[in-house]
Amino acid sequence: MYLHIYYKVIKMATFSQVLTVQGKSDYVVSIPSDLRKCFFIYAICVLSDDHILITDNNNKRVKQLNHQYKVVGHCDLTTYPTDMCCITPSEIAIIGNDYRTHDVQFVTSGTALYKYSMTGDLLNKLYEDTSGDYTVWKCAANPSGDKIFVTNWSHNKVLTLAIDGAVLHTFTDTDLVCPFGIHVTDQGQVLVCGQSSNTILQLDGEGKKKLATLLTERDGLNAPHSVCCNRSTASIIVGQYIGNQILVFKEK
């Protein structure tokens, strides 16, 4: 996955500001032309115009949602999309995996994190852990670009890496089982999905400690796989493993 690294000054206080939610809405993201059930929403991102993109892995599609979370467009892919992120206001990068070929840019292989240039040239391997099949699963960079957060699905961990790949911190918690998707807000708040614990946790900006268990099964979570914070609408969007809906929670 391409990581668009950019630099700006952010006060440390924003990293530790705990998010709180109130109310939940469900939105159907299946469309009549889908050939299969809409499963495996592995990634969500918000565009500069506040339109939302989601990956529908089972249908090999990226879908565009409007401000009312209605599907208004889609792009068919030749492979199964497993992750994506914005790299410019009008461009996204997508990781594809058809179990034979792996299309990548700033890439996780399941056990390693590789750094590529924006033109697709391999620069170096940042980190590797071969102690399991999914020790390097999803990653996200902080706003200042000096830390990368990585979910280790196999061992229920979130790693904080320096930009050179050195491990700075390792986070574990009983509320986080099989961590999957991870997201860092523009303010530096770290959100991570617990697939098997049916939770979304907020970590501090260093990835060292839990600030809150934001959402649980009581809030309707069922194997959450992706999470994204839309600051302009003050909402948290969650995609899940099974089902044709996204969940949208309003921030207090």
Side-chain angles (χ1 to χ4, degrees):
M1 173 174 68
Y2 275 129
L3 291 181
H4 180 49
I5 306 297
Y6 59 98
Y7 296 86
K8 62 182 178 180
V9 176
I10 297 179
K11 294 181 180 179
M12 287 298 294
T14 61
F15 294 159
S16 58
Q17 179 182 354
V18 177
L19 300 172
T20 55
V21 298
Q22 59 180 0
K24 180 193 71 171
S25 299
D26 300 351
Y27 296 94
V28 173
V29 290
S30 60
I31 55 179
S33 61
D34 288 344
L35 297 179
R36 304 176 184 87
K37 290 183 178 180
C38 180
F39 276 6
F40 317 142
I41 301 174
Y42 284 160
I44 304 169
C45 64
V46 179
L47 303 178
S48 57
D49 62 359
D50 287 336
H51 278 226
I52 296 158
L53 296 179
I54 66 168
T55 58
D56 178 349
N57 180 278
N58 205 37
N59 283 291
K60 296 184 180 180
R61 284 180 164 176
V62 173
K63 295 177 178 178
Q64 181 179 6
L65 315 181
N66 63 14
H67 299 163
Q68 290 74 44
Y69 303 100
K70 180 180 179 180
V71 179
V72 294
H74 68 273
C75 176
D76 289 331
L77 307 173
T78 58
T79 186
Y80 296 96
T82 58
D83 212 343
M84 68 177 169
C85 70
C86 297
I87 56 173
T88 75
S90 60
E91 294 178 305
I92 62 168
I94 299 170
I95 291 179
N97 183 359
D98 67 2
Y99 308 105
R100 294 185 302 268
T101 60
H102 306 273
D103 301 320
V104 279
Q105 284 82 29
F106 189 119
V107 134
T108 59
S109 68
T111 59
L113 181 68
Y114 297 90
K115 184 177 181 180
Y116 283 72
S117 71
M118 295 290 280
T119 57
D121 297 320
L122 175 62
L123 301 178
N124 62 302
K125 182 192 295 182
L126 291 177
Y127 173 81
E128 186 172 30
D129 179 353
T130 58
S131 64
D133 291 334
Y134 303 108
T135 54
V136 178
W137 196 225
K138 295 295 188 84
C139 64
N142 68 343
S144 60
D146 62 349
K147 293 182 180 65
I148 304 169
F149 303 97
V150 175
T151 54
N152 180 325
W153 188 91
S154 295
H155 303 309
N156 304 321
K157 297 177 180 179
V158 176
L159 304 178
T160 305
L161 307 182
I163 198 63
D164 63 358
V167 178
L168 301 176
H169 309 293
T170 300
F171 172 84
T172 60
D173 190 90
T174 55
D175 281 350
L176 187 67
V177 182
C178 296
F180 206 92
I182 193 162
H183 171 73
V184 184
T185 73
D186 290 342
Q187 289 70 39
Q189 296 143 323
V190 181
L191 305 180
V192 58
C193 300
Q195 175 190 335
S196 296
S197 51
N198 296 323
T199 54
I200 291 178
L201 274 59
Q202 180 181 346
L203 312 186
D204 69 341
E206 300 294 315
K208 295 171 65 175
K209 64 179 181 179
K210 179 177 72 174
L211 299 182
T213 300
L214 292 180
L215 299 166
T216 69
E217 192 171 352
R218 293 190 298 273
D219 300 299
L221 267 60
N222 181 9
H225 270 48
S226 54
V227 61
C228 183
C229 186
N230 187 348
R231 180 56 54 186
S232 65
T233 60
S235 58
I236 296 173
I237 308 166
V238 179
Q240 308 204 92
Y241 181 71
I242 295 176
N244 63 351
Q245 297 176 325
I246 58 170
L247 309 181
V248 180
F249 299 88
K250 295 295 292 183
E251 293 181 41
K252 290 183 180 179

